[in-house]
Each structure stands twice: as C-alpha cells, then as structure tokens.
Amino acid sequence: MPDRPLRADARSNHDRLLVVAAEAFAREGTQTSLKAIARAAGVGIGTLYRRFPTRESLVEAVYRNEVIRLCDAAAELLRTLTPAAALPAWMERFVDFMAAKHGMADVLRAVLLSEEDRMHTRDLLRAAIATLLDAGTAAGGVRPGVDPNDVLMGLGGITMIAGEEDQRDLASRLIGLLLHGIATAAEGPGGTA
C-alpha cells in the first residue's frame, strides 16, 4: 500500500523527529534512547514508533533526510550568498553531515547495503557540488572544468582525516586548501572560490 500524504501536524511531527534524531545520533550514536528522542521532539513514543517501527528505520530515514537537506542547501545557499561564499559554506555543512553519519555508521551498513543506494547518494551529492561549481565558474571564481566528483572525493578525504568534532579547525583548513586548488588564478592565494 503506497504511503498516503501526511496531515500537516503529522508532517510536522515527522520532520521534527528526523531533526531531533539526527542531532541525537550525531551526539550519542544510534543507541541513544528513542524515548528521549520522542520527548525532545515533543511527541509521544507511540508517535515515533508509528512513523518508524524500528530503530533501523529511523536511522535510515534520518540519513536519507540529511542527504536531501544537504543537497538542497546548495541552491539555498546560492540564493542568499555569492558563489564565492556558498561553496565553502556548503563544504562545511558536508563535513558536519559526514560527522553525523559516522554516528550512524554501524546501523547504516546494515540498512544501506546496496550499491544502488550508495550510487544514488553520490549522484545527489555530485549534482549539488556541480550546482555550486557552475555558479562559481559563471562568477569567475572557479576554474572551468573542475570535476564535481573530484571535489566530492576531496571532501570525503577531508572527513576521513579530520572527521572528529575536535578536528573541526583542521577540516576547515583543509577545505581552504581544496578551495584554493579549484579557484581561478584571479582569486590568488588569499581568496576562496
């Protein structure tokens, strides 16, 4: 039976549960109390279990929601920031996303095993990066021809090296180096793309 659209109040509860759970999983891992998540979201535990019958289904929904939020952020940032500011802001969000994902890693390995799932996520992330790179190229701050996949791989490497909360400054410095590598010569050593 296909999912029916949620009423406005049910959609609000659903969305709040995903945000609160993402924060809890990033902070405490996936073994955090589901009762505490429900309480922090302002709903009863029954509401949580109606929407997400298992811990794994909640983790999977949080992960998918966070991927969509991250990818949507590319266009949102470009509406409010210059391309030169939007790209590094999105990259910082990517690092935060990956840190949160590490808190869900064990369960995610169990629920997102298919290569199709992984490729779909990579495709969404590459498209978001391409949007930012295209805007940066059009504005003159990004070298033409920068491959979004290369940038995604660079960001993935940064999160592997500096993916812990106490390494956040290192991650930001490494992002700066990555940005320097894709900037046009006009941006110079002190500028960002």
Side-chain angles (χ1 to χ4, degrees), residues 3-145:
D3 289 335
R4 293 180 305 196
L6 296 174
R7 294 182 331 258
D9 61 330
R11 168 55 56 197
S12 176
N13 288 342
H14 178 90
D15 294 346
R16 210 168 39 255
L17 279 166
L18 292 176
V19 169
V20 169
E23 292 167 356
F25 293 156
R27 191 176 52 249
E28 302 166 31
T30 56
Q31 295 309 309
T32 188
S33 162
L34 296 182
K35 285 182 184 179
I37 290 172
R39 187 172 38 254
V43 301
I45 190 70
T47 298
L48 184 146
Y49 280 116
R50 266 191 304 283
R51 297 301 319 146
F52 310 103
T54 65
R55 181 178 301 272
E56 292 77 16
S57 65
L58 177 59
V59 171
E60 181 179 1
V62 164
Y63 172 75
R64 291 183 190 284
N65 188 60
E66 292 301 300
V67 167
I68 290 167
R69 287 180 61 198
L70 176 62
C71 292
D72 288 350
E76 292 166 13
L77 289 166
L78 286 170
R79 281 193 291 277
T80 58
L81 301 172
T82 65
L87 183 58
W90 190 89
M91 289 178 166
E92 295 286 349
R93 288 185 185 196
F94 179 88
V95 171
D96 292 339
F97 162 77
M98 291 300 287
K101 181 182 161 194
H102 288 301
M104 301 183 286
D106 291 340
V107 175
L108 283 174
R109 275 192 277 284
V111 298
L112 294 175
L113 288 178
S114 83
E115 182 65 20
E116 183 180 331
D117 278 337
R118 288 191 297 277
M119 289 308 296
H120 178 68
T121 298
R122 283 187 205 124
D123 289 344
L124 291 172
L125 292 168
R126 273 193 296 264
I129 292 169
T131 297
L132 292 158
L133 292 175
D134 290 346
T137 300
V142 172
R143 287 187 293 110

